[in-house]
Amino acid sequence: MKELLEIKNLSVSFNTLKGEIQAVRDVSLSLHEGEVLAIVGESGCGKSVLCKSIMKLLHDNAYIKSGSIIVDGVDITHYGRKDMERLRGRVFSMVFQDPMTSLNPTIPIGEQIAEAVRVHNPKMKKAEVYERVISMMDLVGIPDAEDRYKLYPYSFSGGMRQRSVMAIALASEPKILLADEPTTSLDVTIQAQILDLLKSLQKKLLTATILVSHDLGVVSRVADRVAVMYAGKIVELGTVEDIFYEPRHPYTWGLMRSLPSLAKKGQELYTIPGMPPTLINPPKGDAFACRNEYALAIDYEEMPPMFKISDTHYAATWLLDERAPKIAPPVGSIR
Amino acid sequence: MRHKNIFLYYIQKFIVFVLSVLVLSVVVFYVSRLAPGDPLYSYYGDRVEKMSDSEREWAENQLGLNEPIHIQYIHWFANAIRGNFGISYKYKTDVIKIIGGRLPNTLILGGIGFVLIYVLALGLGILCTWYEDKWPDRLLCKIGTVTSCIPEFWLSIALIFLFSIKLKLLPSSGAYSIGNGENVIDRISHLTLPMTVVVVSHLWYYAYMIRNKLLEEVRTEYVLLAKSKGLSKKNILFKHCLRNIVPSYLSIMAISVPHILGGTYIVETVFSYPGIGTLSYESARYQDYNMLMALCILSGALVILCNIVVQIVNERIDPRMKKDEGLQVSEVIEIG
Amino acid sequence: MDERFVQVGIRPVTALPVQEKKQYKDKPIFSMTVFMVIAMGCLFCNFFITKDPAYMDLYNTNAAPGAEFYFGTDAMGRDIFSMIWYGGRISLFIGFFASVISTVAAIVFGVFSGLAPKWADDCLMRFTEIFLSIPSLLLVIMIQAILGKANVFSISFVIGITSWTSIAKVVRTEVKQIRDSEYVIAARCMGAGFFRIMWRHLTPNFISSIMFMVVMNIRAAMAAEATLSFMGMGLPLEVISWGSMLSLAERSLLSGAWWIILVPGVFLVMTLLCITDIGNYLRKSVNNRRSNL
Amino acid sequence: MIVKGMVIIMADVLLDVQHLTHFFKINKNITIKAVDDISFQIRKGEIFGLVGESGSGKSTAARCIMNVYRPVSGKVIYKGINTCDPVEFRQNKKLLQTSRQFIFQDSTSSLNGRMKVEDIIAEPMQIHHVRPKRGTLRSEAEFQLYYVGLDKSYLDKYPYELSGGMRQRVAIARALSMEPELLVADEPIAALDVSIQAQIINLFKHLQKEHGFSILFIAHDLAVVKYLCDRVGVMYHGRLVEVAPTEELFENPKHPYTKALLSAIPVPDPRLERVKGAVN
């Protein structure tokens, strides 16, 4: 499979009054054509920042410290505003978390989609644009598209707005779709519909998708591959089966075990002790060590490299070193 | 709000306007009656001092001054509605006539100043937003803060001193040279200094407001979506953000009417420009209450009118204000 | 076995302390210093002024600045250097006092309107709108006419009573917001009384959002005093303030005595500028999100 | 509503909600029936879950129960006191305000940002002039804080200096300081991360075991409810469509909406999800 997007040793930092926040630390990742890659992690682990830094949507106090972003074989790490404007929408496009605020309240939905169509096809005729907008609205499942064209966002419910946002994002047929927690602010039943839509669109259009989520359930529903992020780093990367059935990183174990849906009633729910570290002065060695009951002495000294487990499965923990004691994973491979 | 009958909607707004002006007139009337000084003065002037007691009583009866204050108000109001605001104590003529003669001058100064302020404020606001926190923005903010801190009267004097007395370039007072009222160039030269003061001393206040509104707007989430679909910075700022601040822009305009009007009054006084401002200044000095009342009500009514017009316009153009209208398009949850 | 690979489990890790950089760049240090110098100079002027500010030296009218009169003398032969510091007290006092009056009025009005039922709130808002519709200069003139001859307190009162509306509107919106916020609901569930909610919950939370406006009101009040005095409707000539000093300015235009215009004007503008700068800082520190554009 | 096969002994019932109804008037023409004739009981020492989607009226119901809103009709009987009756409420004000406590979803807005943690926790004690058992209010606050798993260094901090999980712990400490018998928790974990959620859920469970109070636990996450609650009520458009013991509800949902809700939850099991996806 062709690699559409390749991120090499990317580090992104923010300058704040409190100091440098190292939001993304040395992340390497690749996205293949037509796959869904999910990035999971807790809030503040840098998953959103990673997404936005690909599209250069970060605020001006953020900067790429090192590493490179390669899209379709072209290095875009140092692209300026004009160059990015050319790429956005056509090459990659984004769906945001809150559909209530991500649409302009004073412009009709249809117009907002039309705008997205026109950006990269300035010569398109009015009727053609209209046609395309209607077909996009049909595609994302907004019924009676022609009547809804002129409606303003306030008369759309959350789910319908998220569908509109997806229509906007897909209007110029991007190769990569970045979805930043697209269902977090929606209800469960609506969430299911949007996820199904996302999956079916992805099948139909073969758009490579990066899905950012904190919900392991959502991830298991749509993802092909999963990257688990913790404190700005990717700690485990693999296919969805790898991650859910044979997790190797203690943090992934912790995440799985603390899910109430997997816990038995009456049993104590497992909790990961402590809190995630601040990213201003991240601890030396493995950032997860101080919350990890399986931590090795070296975890407090040295950052673990990515260990290869199989062709698709990687994890960054010293437990995979051949010198480390063998530990039976507390979760996975049961079902 | 959706009104099936658009006519009813305007009637409603009109009633609000009339009621507001009514309340305003009540307040102004009572306040002016509270003021020290004999109300007879405002009708008979210096003659009051020479009146005997019986003459006085007759005059008071004639004018209804013996009656309770609310009856007096009704009389006064009945006259006012016919355009009779009484006689000016200073000018000994109908108040309305004097005002009518002065009004155009103020409208020219205030009106053109108002338009200039708003056009320039929008331009500066956009410029500052485009270059937020870069040098053009910082420089403009610094200059703007300084100009907004200079009181109008002092700026006027400084400009008079510089341009009229030292450089002898521009006239320092009046609306035109005597006998030269029809000469446009003469008028413009008289207008230049006062207009400069009106614009300079108000401009930044509003430009800064618009800048802040725009900055608020570019911090919203939809800008990110617009950006991610590939719109250029220019398009986002002009097509999305600017459009969304139009209602607040109009509201600011409406609120600023009394503010700019007040500023014009001060400038008029310093430049002895024959407008409403000098008139109100004089009428206050000479306790010409009939005049002062009429001026207050006139200015107030103008401002209230502007407010209501802006309200109507905003309700028509801003879809955010029509939220209750129409049906909600939502997902259908299949049960079963 | 390598001892580095011994399982040790959870060890306490002391995170490196996060130190917030002190930011002097954005703080209005310069303005604050200048303002303090002016304010202190006015407060302790007795110790260094060279002449009696009220003494009219009729031999030295309209004297240019020089060794004897640092800033010259005015048309009545008074020493401007002494008057500046002496008169600054009154100007600053009026600024602060008027601002206190308007803030108190605004808080009372705003809180009442924010907590009142909808119809009462509507009425009060209409009233403010009507109040706002008269240009404040006209309003001041009228009220001043009622109160009679101006003195320091009456002028502060007049300025204060005509400039509370904008703060009141902000207080009202804030109170409405805070009233429905969950911590007030929580306090009500706990049984907190009206005054407790008012004092512990409402006030501390809206103070920060009106602080900027209160500071700006000081500036507006000082400018208003100067304007009124200049126009002859504020403080009389005998009461020395920056405004009343400037009321001689128009007459000195023709005599070419620029210092009578310039000196009090520069002091006034400097003070207003410093206050504005401090006020702007207060506003900025409230809101520091970043642009998406 | 009495569920078949279950006899509720009146003495055991702590809170009895009968035909509770509440409307919101938007304008002349539109009224929203936020809560529409719901009835349920909570027994002593029971964790009762209320689930539903946003806008289903679960928060409104909680607020009616806590006397934030006065319901349009219906009764809320707590320990034999009809709390919706203003007279009865005033007579038993202190009891009602101390023995029932409220925990909110958003800990940022439910804690006053201008008060220190110490003052926040001590506030209910101050209001009701409760004599602190451990001497001073500060030591009492310190104890409550320790109880929810925070040390005393947090006493002098402001809410914005804490993380979401810590803030929620402070909110719980505040509620516990009054030794309540009924805790109404309105989506207390919805805004938290998975690992922190687990900590708070455990905290609730521990505290409940130790104190034996009842909890009305409102959530939209069925997995949490399944793990934590003894009985569950499902709300849909203001109505309570189903009330059942937890196992029964999850194994054998009766109402179609409950079924839809259950099938919509994504399970962290890709193979299972794939099968589900294929069915859809």
Side-chain angles (χ1 to χ4, degrees):
Chain A
M1 261 191 291
K2 215 176 118 200
E3 279 182 6
L4 261 183
L5 171 75
E6 208 182 344
I7 298 168
K8 282 187 191 157
N9 305 90
L10 185 73
S11 293
V12 181
S13 288
F14 288 91
N15 277 328
T16 65
L17 287 183
K18 288 182 179 161
E20 179 196 345
I21 297 180
Q22 303 176 20
V24 174
R25 300 189 294 155
D26 195 23
V27 163
S28 297
L29 204 63
S30 61
L31 180 70
H32 307 299
E33 235 166 22
E35 72 164 349
V36 180
L37 172 70
I39 303 177
V40 229
E42 295 176 83
S43 57
C45 73
K47 53 192 193 311
S48 253
V49 174
L50 178 62
C51 245
K52 285 183 177 163
S53 67
I54 296 170
M55 284 191 69
K56 299 233 164 72
L57 289 177
L58 290 170
H59 299 145
D60 47 12
N61 63 337
Y63 59 96
I64 294 177
K65 217 168 123 190
S66 62
S68 55
I69 304 166
I70 295 159
V71 174
D72 235 354
V74 185
D75 187 344
I76 64 156
T77 321
H78 300 292
Y79 266 29
R81 178 164 63 83
K82 282 265 155 66
D83 291 322
M84 287 310 291
E85 276 166 9
R86 225 162 9 85
L87 294 183
R88 288 182 199 136
R90 192 200 274 290
V91 176
F92 37 50
S93 170
M94 197 157 175
V95 175
F96 296 89
Q97 176 173 352
D98 190 358
M100 293 324 226
T101 55
S102 57
L103 288 166
N104 188 339
T106 63
I107 300 181
I109 294 278
E111 283 301 318
Q112 297 195 43
I113 302 171
E115 230 179 339
V117 175
R118 244 179 280 129
V119 185
H120 295 291
N121 307 296
K123 283 182 191 135
M124 218 183 215
K125 284 199 192 83
K126 243 186 178 170
E128 274 178 275
V129 174
Y130 183 76
E131 206 102 306
R132 173 110 182 100
V133 172
I134 299 295
S135 71
M136 283 314 296
M137 287 169 85
D138 281 339
L139 185 69
V140 297
I142 301 174
D144 305 327
E146 276 165 46
D147 299 337
R148 306 272 154 83
Y149 185 95
K150 284 217 160 64
L151 288 183
Y152 289 95
Y154 63 81
S155 50
F156 279 56
S157 70
M160 277 297 165
R161 287 188 195 201
Q162 200 59 302
R163 283 171 194 264
S164 317
V165 173
M166 279 164 68
I168 290 173
L170 296 171
S172 300
E173 294 170 335
K175 293 178 186 150
I176 304 167
L177 179 71
L178 298 124
D180 186 0
E181 308 250 7
T183 57
T184 305
S185 57
L186 302 174
D187 281 325
V188 209
T189 43
I190 312 293
Q191 164 171 296
Q193 296 184 12
I194 296 288
L195 288 178
D196 289 343
L197 173 70
L198 195 74
K199 191 80 195 165
S200 73
L201 283 181
Q202 202 265 332
K203 287 255 159 65
K204 221 181 279 175
L205 307 172
L206 288 173
T207 318
T209 307
I210 295 183
L211 174 82
V212 172
S213 182
H214 67 275
D215 189 336
L216 288 169
V218 169
V219 169
S220 70
R221 188 153 194 158
V222 283
D224 299 322
R225 285 200 305 144
V226 181
V228 183
M229 266 185 100
Y230 182 78
K233 288 180 75 77
I234 289 186
V235 294
E236 191 164 2
L237 178 68
T239 62
V240 72
E241 277 89 0
D242 290 338
I243 300 290
F244 279 86
Y245 301 132
E246 274 171 71
R248 299 304 284 271
H249 196 281
Y251 177 64
T252 321
W253 297 340
L255 272 188
M256 301 270 181
R257 290 167 80 192
S258 57
L259 286 177
S261 54
L262 295 183
K264 292 257 156 43
K265 181 129 191 166
Q267 251 174 22
E268 178 90 344
L269 197 57
Y270 176 82
T271 60
I272 304 175
M275 319 256 173
T278 60
L279 293 172
I280 293 176
N281 288 323
K284 203 170 107 190
D286 187 357
F288 188 60
C290 56
R291 301 175 73 187
N292 179 5
E293 53 189 292
Y294 306 105
L296 306 179
I298 193 173
D299 275 324
Y300 293 93
E301 302 297 325
E302 215 173 306
M303 237 185 263
M306 269 287 188
F307 288 96
K308 184 173 174 180
I309 301 153
S310 70
D311 281 346
T312 51
H313 195 177
Y314 300 83
T317 169
W318 283 114
L319 288 177
L320 293 171
D321 194 279
E322 48 198 19
R323 289 163 290 182
K326 296 283 165 275
I327 285 163
V331 281
S333 56
I334 318 155
R335 273 153 293 161
Chain B
M1 294 286 261
R2 186 177 181 83
H3 289 262
K4 279 190 188 128
N5 194 337
I6 205 75
F7 184 67
L8 219 66
Y9 171 77
Y10 285 113
I11 291 272
Q12 195 194 331
K13 290 283 169 196
F14 182 72
I15 290 171
V16 169
F17 171 70
V18 169
L19 278 179
S20 301
V21 174
L22 213 64
V23 174
L24 176 71
S25 71
V26 171
V27 173
V28 169
F29 184 83
Y30 274 68
V31 166
S32 74
R33 281 291 182 268
L34 278 174
D38 194 337
L40 273 186
Y41 265 97
S42 52
Y43 294 93
Y44 294 100
D46 290 338
R47 275 178 293 162
V48 175
E49 278 166 32
K50 292 171 205 147
M51 279 180 182
S52 66
D53 282 353
S54 58
E55 269 177 319
R56 220 187 138 86
E57 204 170 302
W58 175 85
E60 276 178 0
N61 267 333
Q62 190 72 17
L63 291 168
L65 289 175
N66 288 336
E67 289 174 71
I69 194 157
H70 59 270
I71 307 279
Q72 286 186 36
Y73 171 74
I74 291 168
H75 284 308
W76 174 83
F77 183 74
N79 280 326
I81 221 159
R82 272 174 265 141
N84 180 8
F85 282 91
I87 290 166
S88 161
Y89 156 64
K90 192 181 171 231
Y91 293 93
K92 314 279 186 265
T93 22
D94 255 10
V95 162
I96 213 78
K97 245 184 218 161
I98 307 277
I99 294 178
R102 297 284 189 96
L103 197 58
N105 287 337
T106 296
L107 286 184
I108 289 172
L109 179 61
I112 298 179
F114 189 82
V115 172
L116 271 178
I117 288 171
Y118 270 94
V119 172
L120 290 174
L122 190 65
L124 286 181
I126 293 171
L127 198 69
C128 285
T129 311
W130 184 270
Y131 292 108
E132 192 198 343
D133 236 11
K134 307 226 168 58
W135 69 266
D137 178 38
R138 283 169 188 235
L139 187 73
L140 277 174
C141 283
K142 286 269 179 298
I143 297 173
T145 316
V146 174
T147 57
S148 69
C149 279
I150 304 174
E152 287 115 334
F153 75 91
W154 195 75
L155 185 63
S156 310
I157 294 180
L159 288 183
I160 292 175
F161 190 77
L162 198 68
F163 288 98
S164 307
I165 293 173
K166 287 286 156 194
L167 300 174
K168 299 202 178 0
L169 281 176
L170 293 163
S172 70
S173 67
Y176 46 84
S177 315
I178 297 158
N180 228 351
E182 306 301 312
N183 188 339
V184 178
I185 294 176
D186 181 62
R187 282 224 165 204
I188 290 176
S189 76
H190 275 87
L191 259 178
T192 313
L193 282 184
M195 189 72 86
T196 312
V197 178
V198 170
V199 173
V200 167
S201 56
H202 289 97
L203 177 59
W204 184 248
Y205 186 78
Y206 298 106
Y208 196 57
M209 262 196 210
I210 290 164
R211 170 184 176 267
N212 287 344
K213 278 275 166 223
L214 266 176
L215 288 186
E216 230 170 77
E217 209 58 39
V218 297
R219 277 161 176 69
T220 49
E221 186 106 330
Y222 72 77
V223 172
L224 274 186
L225 181 71
K227 216 169 160 179
S228 83
K229 68 185 175 191
L231 282 191
S232 65
K233 188 175 172 180
K234 196 173 91 196
N235 264 337
I236 297 174
L237 187 61
F238 283 88
K239 284 198 183 150
H240 283 253
C241 300
L242 214 53
R243 179 187 183 125
N244 287 12
I245 66 151
V246 166
S248 356
Y249 181 67
L250 292 177
S251 305
I252 295 173
M253 273 173 108
I255 297 165
S256 72
V257 172
H259 190 190
I260 294 179
L261 212 57
T264 315
Y265 288 0
I266 295 167
V267 174
E268 278 181 12
T269 317
V270 182
F271 284 95
S272 315
Y273 183 88
I276 302 289
T278 16
L279 199 62
S280 49
Y281 170 71
E282 282 165 0
S283 53
R285 294 220 89 169
Y286 299 99
Q287 303 197 330
D288 191 351
Y289 290 119
N290 277 348
M291 179 70 90
L292 207 53
M293 264 156 68
L295 287 174
C296 277
I297 290 169
L298 194 75
S299 312
L302 176 71
V303 174
I304 293 171
L305 185 72
C306 289
N307 270 318
I308 288 178
V309 168
V310 165
Q311 224 174 25
I312 292 172
V313 172
N314 271 351
E315 274 169 26
R316 298 206 69 79
I317 62 167
D318 191 353
R320 283 171 292 194
M321 288 192 177
K322 300 182 218 161
K323 276 195 179 155
D324 319 338
E325 191 184 320
L327 40 124
Q328 187 85 11
V329 181
S330 59
E331 309 273 330
V332 184
I333 302 166
E334 285 165 32
I335 290 181
Chain C
M1 205 159 101
D2 196 330
E3 70 171 43
R4 290 189 306 163
F5 285 89
V6 174
Q7 193 177 334
V8 291
I10 296 165
R11 273 187 197 166
V13 171
T14 40
L16 290 168
V18 175
Q19 275 179 345
E20 191 147 353
K21 256 190 251 164
K22 288 250 164 76
Q23 279 263 325
Y24 291 109
K25 206 181 84 196
D26 286 342
K27 271 199 180 150
I29 297 289
F30 181 73
S31 305
M32 271 152 79
T33 321
V34 173
F35 183 72
M36 282 319 281
V37 167
I38 293 176
M40 286 296 140
C42 292
L43 216 59
F44 300 108
C45 65
N46 294 359
F47 298 107
F48 63 86
I49 53 177
T50 48
K51 297 268 181 332
D52 176 2
Y55 176 68
M56 298 181 194
D57 187 350
L58 294 178
Y59 296 106
N60 287 309
T61 56
N62 285 340
E68 195 185 354
F69 306 103
Y70 299 132
F71 292 157
T73 61
D74 68 0
M76 283 137 82
R78 295 180 294 183
D79 176 38
I80 292 182
F81 177 74
S82 309
M83 286 168 82
I84 282 288
W85 299 107
Y86 189 80
R89 284 181 182 182
I90 305 254
S91 289
L92 285 172
F93 174 78
I94 290 174
F96 280 101
F97 192 53
S99 185
V100 167
I101 290 174
S102 60
T103 309
V104 169
I107 289 179
V108 170
F109 193 93
V111 168
F112 189 74
S113 167
L115 295 177
K118 196 174 176 303
W119 63 268
D121 179 39
D122 282 346
C123 281
L124 288 173
M125 277 299 109
R126 277 268 156 244
F127 175 73
T128 15
E129 252 167 50
I130 292 169
F131 195 84
L132 267 176
S133 68
I134 312 174
S136 63
L137 186 75
L138 275 181
L139 209 62
V140 169
I141 290 174
M142 276 192 85
I143 298 177
Q144 189 65 64
I146 298 168
L147 292 178
K149 207 164 162 26
N151 60 39
V152 175
F153 290 99
S154 77
I155 204 145
S156 310
F157 176 75
V158 171
I159 294 171
I161 213 73
T162 49
S163 58
W164 51 272
T165 41
S166 50
I167 302 185
K169 277 189 175 172
V170 175
V171 173
R172 170 178 166 269
T173 11
E174 286 286 320
V175 166
K176 272 185 184 295
Q177 243 170 45
I178 300 169
R179 184 185 67 174
D180 296 332
S181 74
E182 289 187 337
Y183 60 81
V184 170
I185 294 177
R188 266 169 52 205
C189 284
M190 284 182 251
F194 175 78
F195 288 103
R196 188 186 176 84
I197 289 177
M198 183 69 210
W199 185 243
R200 293 299 296 266
H201 297 286
L202 282 179
T203 323
N205 280 294
F206 68 66
I207 282 293
S208 65
S209 52
I210 63 166
M211 224 26 238
F212 148 77
M213 301 186 83
V214 171
V215 170
M216 287 309 196
N217 246 13
I218 298 177
R219 163 190 132 167
M222 288 182 68
E225 181 269 326
T227 307
L228 284 176
S229 299
F230 166 79
M231 292 174 82
M233 274 176 293
L235 296 172
L237 263 181
E238 310 88 72
V239 183
I240 299 168
S241 77
W242 292 343
S244 68
M245 286 170 77
L246 281 167
S247 63
L248 292 172
E250 222 168 352
R251 269 182 266 170
S252 61
L253 273 179
L254 295 171
S255 63
W258 51 266
W259 53 91
I260 299 178
I261 306 169
L262 194 70
V263 176
V266 165
F267 267 80
L268 181 66
V269 172
M270 283 289 277
T271 314
L272 298 185
L273 205 55
C274 292
I275 295 175
T276 316
D277 208 31
I278 296 167
N280 275 343
Y281 169 72
L282 286 176
R283 163 152 63 185
K284 266 189 207 139
S285 58
V286 173
N287 176 14
N288 41 23
R289 280 179 302 150
R290 281 175 178 275
S291 168
N292 283 335
L293 193 69
Chain D
M1 185 191 286
I2 294 175
V3 179
K4 221 191 294 169
M6 189 194 304
V7 185
I8 294 173
I9 305 159
M10 279 315 280
D12 253 10
V13 173
L14 182 70
L15 182 82
D16 189 0
V17 178
Q18 297 172 359
H19 306 289
L20 187 72
T21 305
H22 192 67
F23 300 154
F24 285 115
K25 229 179 176 161
I26 303 290
N27 57 27
K28 261 184 238 154
N29 306 321
I30 306 169
T31 14
I32 292 178
K33 278 191 182 181
V35 176
D36 192 1
D37 192 22
I38 66 170
S39 305
F40 61 89
Q41 281 118 353
I42 297 179
R43 279 167 286 166
K44 281 183 185 138
E46 177 185 54
I47 305 183
F48 185 88
L50 205 54
V51 288
E53 306 196 323
S54 58
S56 64
K58 48 195 197 312
S59 283
T60 313
R63 288 178 179 207
C64 286
I65 290 167
M66 291 303 284
N67 289 85
V68 176
Y69 303 142
R70 179 172 298 167
V72 173
S73 69
K75 275 185 191 167
V76 176
I77 294 169
Y78 172 77
K79 282 186 159 184
I81 305 160
N82 180 7
T83 60
C84 300
D85 184 65
V87 180
E88 269 186 69
F89 178 76
R90 231 170 292 137
Q91 280 165 354
N92 303 291
K93 204 169 165 185
K94 190 164 176 175
L95 170 82
L96 290 173
Q97 283 169 350
T98 53
S99 73
R100 304 179 308 166
Q101 292 292 325
F102 206 166
I103 293 170
F104 294 87
Q105 168 181 2
D106 185 1
S107 53
T108 0
S109 65
S110 72
L111 305 178
N112 185 345
R114 307 243 152 216
M115 279 162 85
K116 283 184 184 161
V117 168
E118 178 193 348
D119 297 323
I120 290 171
I121 297 175
E123 194 180 13
M125 288 181 271
Q126 279 180 351
I127 291 169
H128 293 288
H129 308 288
V130 176
R131 194 106 161 265
K133 276 187 205 151
R134 291 160 195 87
T136 58
L137 285 174
R138 193 181 166 85
S139 56
E140 181 76 33
E142 187 185 322
F143 173 79
Q144 296 297 350
L145 213 51
Y146 167 76
Y147 217 79
V148 296
L150 294 173
D151 64 61
K152 65 180 176 188
S153 65
Y154 290 100
L155 278 176
D156 291 314
K157 295 208 163 158
Y158 286 97
Y160 61 83
E161 296 173 279
L162 308 178
S163 68
M166 292 180 189
R167 277 197 298 264
Q168 206 53 280
R169 283 170 196 262
V170 171
I172 295 170
R174 171 173 69 182
L176 290 183
S177 68
M178 284 283 99
E179 293 173 359
E181 286 173 63
L182 175 69
L183 208 59
V184 176
D186 186 358
E187 306 230 21
I189 55 164
L192 303 174
D193 272 318
V194 186
S195 69
I196 309 296
Q197 263 187 12
Q199 293 176 1
I200 301 290
I201 294 171
N202 271 352
L203 181 65
F204 267 110
K205 198 129 194 167
H206 278 299
L207 292 172
Q208 198 272 337
K209 255 189 208 145
E210 218 148 299
H211 288 261
F213 48 62
S214 310
I215 304 178
L216 173 58
F217 192 91
I218 295 167
H220 65 264
D221 186 347
L222 282 166
V224 175
V225 170
K226 184 180 176 184
Y227 174 75
L228 192 66
C229 299
D230 302 321
R231 284 196 306 139
V232 184
V234 180
M235 282 190 79
Y236 179 58
H237 284 319
R239 291 217 181 83
L240 193 62
V241 293
E242 190 164 359
V243 181
T246 312
E247 280 89 53
E248 207 177 305
L249 186 100
F250 279 86
E251 268 154 39
N252 187 15
K254 300 242 162 49
H255 195 275
Y257 176 69
T258 316
K259 285 178 194 161
L261 204 58
L262 282 175
S263 74
I265 309 167
V267 188
D269 186 341
R271 279 176 208 148
L272 207 72
E273 282 298 326
R274 220 155 280 165
V275 174
K276 250 204 269 180
V279 171
N280 289 345

